[in-house]
Structures are given as structure tokens and as C-alpha cells.
């Protein structure tokens, strides 16, 4: 079990999303940074879809009531355990009574905290993700609050093996980090001026030539009117060459719509199921984790990529994650 001593700005329980219900108007939701979520789980011996704590900008203070494994992946929110700085993207063994805290955001804005066994919360429509606007999933359907006590599920044999190995390295510490770490190419570089690869959207050809040029040559600022549903951008207003008749149609994570005011909106994890604004672009799936780490005030630039290039990059990233899974298994076998 863990106790939330301080909740932070916005801390929710997320898995990889609630699929199969969009036809009923139920959003997918799930982790904003799916790569950080998946790796956080792998590092503590969980299945990739196990629920993690998604922490935004100002992190919580969390007390652990039993010895466990944890991992901290995503943006750098200066984590510490019992007042001592702790590494990210690593497997960490913590002793009962330890307290994890987060400080200022140095890079990115979101962390996924993986805990061995995952968080024991009910599944709603096949997912444990929190959907705040509907008040479903997660822990009582909402953001984590001060004083919340959340149980963890039984840990896997992989996690037990990891704990056994790390416990051997314990001396008088209250936590110990694994000596090995993941490949550097799996750790993204989060920037305040991020270049995001985008494919031309379904209605790109309907925009004026000046707006098409501006979309790929201008900088856009992430506005304060941004959340898990979408980022509202501020920059050069974009406009259609002439009005077009549109029906609402399906949207996805990374769809870029342009409403009548000309300021693009990038749809994110908690996006609606359909949208009626023209689509100027679609963010390549491989760059969605980078996008998820943008915060209000950050700048985004778009560069064009083809569908084929985007697919190749995504397959390459998936291969690296699968290699990480195999490497963890090999590391465990070394200790037998």
C-alpha cells in the first residue's frame, strides 16, 4: 500500500486506455506518454498495460508501506527518496517507510511512476485509466488527493527476482538503484522548443497556401488553455482557402484541428471521439511522447513526414522496446 502525503498539481492513475467504446462516445484516455508508461512498468516487472501514477508538473509526496520496486520515467521533475536525489529510467528498490518526493520540473512535465504489481483499482469498461470529466476509472474516478491510501496488486515472479537481486546490494540505505540502465536511445530529449513530425491531414489541401506554409515554417506556443484533452496553440492564424461543408468524423491522438479562430488544437489522450473542425495535420505516433511532455509556454514547430517514414520510425521504436524486455529477462537470468 502507498499513502499520498501530498497530491501534487494533478496526479491520476492511468493505463494504456479504454478501447472499444468510442462508438458509444466513451473516450480512450490512458497515459499521455505511453512510452514512459510502458517502460516504467517493464522496469518493475509489470505487464506494459498495468496502471501507473501519471504525475503532472508538480509532483506528490508518496509514502511506501512495504518494501517494493519502483521506477520513474518521463519528464524530469527532480525526484528524491528520503531527501536523496534518485535516478530516472531505472529499477529502484525502496524499503518500507520510505517517502518519494518531486521538486521543480527541469525537463518535460509528466512522469509515470511504476510500482511493482501495479495499483489495485477496479477496471471500468476494460481499463483502469482515470477519465476526470466522466468521473470514472482510477481511484474513485478522480485525481489523487491528500490522505488517499492505494493498495498494490501482487507482484510478479519477475519483480520478486529483481527485488532479491537488489536486496543483496543493500547496506544501510533506504533504497538502492539497479546498476544497469536502459539504452540511451530509448530516453527522449525533452525541449522547450520541440520539433514534432507531422503528416498532412485530410483537409490540408483546403487551407490557403500561406496557411500551409505557415503551418510548417512558424512556431506555435502551447497556451494555458491546454489539458489532457488537447493543446491549444497560439501563433500565425491558419485559414481555409474557402469555406467547406464538414460533418463530424473520427479523430485520434495527435489529430491537429483548426477551429474558426485559426489557432490549431492538437487532440490528446482525453480527446473527444469525433470532431467537426478541418484537420490540417496528424502527429506521427513516434513523436506523441515528446508532444505529451510539452507544457504551457513551450514552443512547438512542425516538420513534414510521410506515412511510410512515420511507420518505419514507429516500428524501430517498438523493436527497441521489445529488445529492452528481452534484456531485462537476460539480466535476471544472469543472477540465477
Amino acid at each position: 500500500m502507498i499513502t499520498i502525503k501530498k497530491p501534487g498539481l494533478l496526479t491520476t492513475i492511468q493505463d494504456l486506455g479504454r478501447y472499444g467504446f468510442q462508438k458509444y462516445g466513451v473516450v480512450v484516455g490512458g497515459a499521455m506518454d505511453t512510452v514512459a508508461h510502458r517502460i516504467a512498468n517493464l522496469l518493475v516487472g509489470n505487464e506494459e498495460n498495468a496502471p501507473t501514477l501519471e504525475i503532472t508538473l508538480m509532483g506528490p509526496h508518496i509514502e511506501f508501506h512495504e518494501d517494493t520496486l519502483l521506477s520513474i520515467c518521463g519528464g524530469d521533475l527532480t525526484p528524491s527518496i528520503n531527501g536523496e536525489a534518485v535516478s530516472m529510467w531505472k529499477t529502484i528498490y525502496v524499503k518500507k517507510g520510505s517517502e518519494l518526493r518531486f521538486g521543480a520540473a527541469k525537463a518535460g512535465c509528466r512522469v509515470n511512476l511504476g510500482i511493482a504489481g501495479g495499483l489495485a483499482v477496479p477496471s471500468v469498461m476494460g481499463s483502469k485509466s482515470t477519465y476526470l470529466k466522466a468521473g470514472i476509472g482510477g481511484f474513485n474516478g478522480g485525481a489523487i488527493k491528500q490522505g488517499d491510501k492505494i493498495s498494490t496488486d501482487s507482484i510478479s515472479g519477475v519483480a520478486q527476482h529483481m527485488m532479491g537481486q537488489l536486496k543483496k546490494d543493500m547496506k544501510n540505505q533506504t533504497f538502492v538503484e539497479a546498476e544497469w540502465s536502459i539504452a540511451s536511445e530509448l530516453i527522449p530529449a525533452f525541449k522547450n522548443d520541440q520539433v514534432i513530425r507531422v503528416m498532412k491531414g485530410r483537409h490540408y489541401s483546403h487551407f490557403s497556401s500561406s496557411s500551409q506554409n505557415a503551418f510548417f515554417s512558424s512556431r506555435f506556443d502551447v497556451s494555458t488553455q491546454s489539458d489532457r484533452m488537447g493543446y491549444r496553440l497560439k501563433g500565425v492564424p491558419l485559414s481555409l482557402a474557402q469555406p467547406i461543408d464538414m460533418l463530424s468524423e473520427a479523430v485520434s491522438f495527435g489529430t491537429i484541428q483548426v477551429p474558426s479562430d485559426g489557432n490549431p488544437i492538437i487532440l490528446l489522450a482525453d480527446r473527444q471521439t469525433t470532431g467537426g473542425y478541418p484537420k490540417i495535420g496528424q502527429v506521427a505516433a513516434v513523436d506523441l511522447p515528446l508532444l505529451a511532455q510539452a507544457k504551457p509556454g513551450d514552443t512547438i514547430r512542425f516538420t513534414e513526414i510521410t506515412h511510410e517514414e512515420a511507420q518505419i520510425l514507429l516500428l524501430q521504436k517498438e523493436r527497441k522496446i521489445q529488445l529492452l524486455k528481452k534484456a531485462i529477462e537476460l539480466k535476471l537470468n544472469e543472477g540465477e
Side-chain angles (χ1 to χ4, degrees):
M1 178 178 287
I2 62 173
T3 296
I4 307 300
K5 311 289 281 188
K6 186 177 178 180
L9 179 65
L10 176 63
T11 303
T12 60
I13 294 175
Q14 301 293 342
D15 57 21
L16 291 176
R18 187 168 283 109
Y19 288 91
F21 299 94
Q22 291 187 82
K23 60 186 176 183
Y24 304 116
V26 180
V27 306
V28 173
M32 286 278 283
D33 184 341
T34 56
V35 170
H37 172 92
R38 293 168 65 190
I39 292 178
N41 274 320
L42 291 176
L43 289 175
V44 295
N46 293 344
E47 295 294 326
E48 294 178 39
N49 192 42
T52 64
L53 278 179
E54 182 180 274
I55 296 160
T56 307
L57 278 174
M58 293 173 56
H61 298 175
I62 302 171
E63 181 182 358
F64 295 88
H65 293 286
E66 57 188 349
D67 295 359
T68 192
L69 292 178
L70 62 84
S71 60
I72 307 164
C73 299
D76 186 354
L77 305 188
T78 55
S80 63
I81 296 176
N82 302 325
E84 186 177 345
V86 64
S87 298
M88 299 188 58
W89 304 95
K90 276 199 167 189
T91 302
I92 304 163
Y93 175 72
V94 295
K95 296 195 74 174
K96 175 181 177 180
S98 295
E99 187 170 311
L100 170 66
R101 296 189 176 194
F102 294 87
K106 290 177 63 177
C109 69
R110 288 183 175 85
V111 160
N112 285 87
L113 173 64
I115 301 173
L119 300 163
V121 294
S123 179
V124 179
M125 287 179 275
S127 171
K128 298 183 178 182
S129 282
T130 310
Y131 179 38
L132 294 170
K133 292 188 177 180
I136 62 173
F139 191 72
N140 298 326
I144 300 304
K145 303 186 298 297
Q146 183 173 346
D148 283 347
K149 296 181 183 296
I150 309 172
S151 297
T152 55
D153 277 325
S154 300
I155 67 173
S156 67
V158 173
Q160 290 175 0
H161 198 154
M162 288 179 175
M163 289 179 70
Q165 288 187 344
L166 289 173
K167 197 170 184 178
K168 295 175 184 177
D169 299 328
M170 292 285 284
K171 295 178 182 177
N172 295 320
Q173 309 119 296
T174 56
F175 73 93
V176 63
E177 301 174 1
E179 293 182 356
W180 56 274
S181 58
I182 69 173
S184 58
E185 59 261 32
L186 278 173
I187 302 175
F190 304 125
K191 304 174 183 177
N192 296 334
D193 183 10
Q194 193 72 59
V195 177
I196 300 295
R197 289 167 286 198
V198 169
M199 295 161 284
K200 290 178 180 177
R202 171 171 158 78
H203 305 109
Y204 179 83
S205 62
H206 292 281
F207 284 84
S208 66
S209 58
S210 60
S211 292
Q212 291 174 354
N213 292 332
F215 181 67
F216 285 117
S217 63
S218 303
R219 285 179 165 82
F220 295 90
D221 296 327
V222 179
S223 81
T224 54
Q225 293 179 298
S226 299
D227 55 21
R228 281 178 47 89
M229 184 176 179
Y231 287 163
R232 291 182 176 271
L233 305 182
K234 292 182 178 179
V236 178
L238 307 177
S239 60
L240 296 168
Q242 57 185 359
I244 57 174
D245 292 327
M246 285 195 58
L247 296 174
S248 290
E249 55 188 38
V251 293
S252 62
F253 199 155
T255 296
I256 306 173
Q257 296 185 318
V258 182
S260 57
D261 65 4
N263 291 311
I265 301 173
I266 310 177
L267 302 182
L268 303 174
D270 284 353
R271 63 198 176 275
Q272 69 274 23
T273 56
T274 62
Y277 295 129
K279 304 172 184 175
I280 194 169
Q282 174 67 44
V283 176
V286 72
D287 279 354
L288 291 175
L290 293 177
L291 183 64
Q293 295 291 344
K295 57 187 180 294
D298 284 355
T299 298
I300 290 175
R301 290 176 287 149
F302 299 116
T303 186
E304 187 178 357
I305 189 173
T306 67
H307 283 82
E308 184 179 7
E309 290 169 334
Q311 288 172 337
I312 291 171
L313 289 171
L314 182 61
L315 287 171
Q316 290 173 344
K317 175 60 70 69
E318 286 300 315
R319 288 192 191 102
K320 290 174 183 176
I321 293 175
Q322 296 309 311
L323 286 173
L324 172 62
K325 292 175 71 171
K326 292 180 180 178
I328 290 173
E329 293 173 3
L330 289 172
K331 196 69 186 174
L332 292 174
N333 291 335
E334 287 177 5
E336 291 184 342

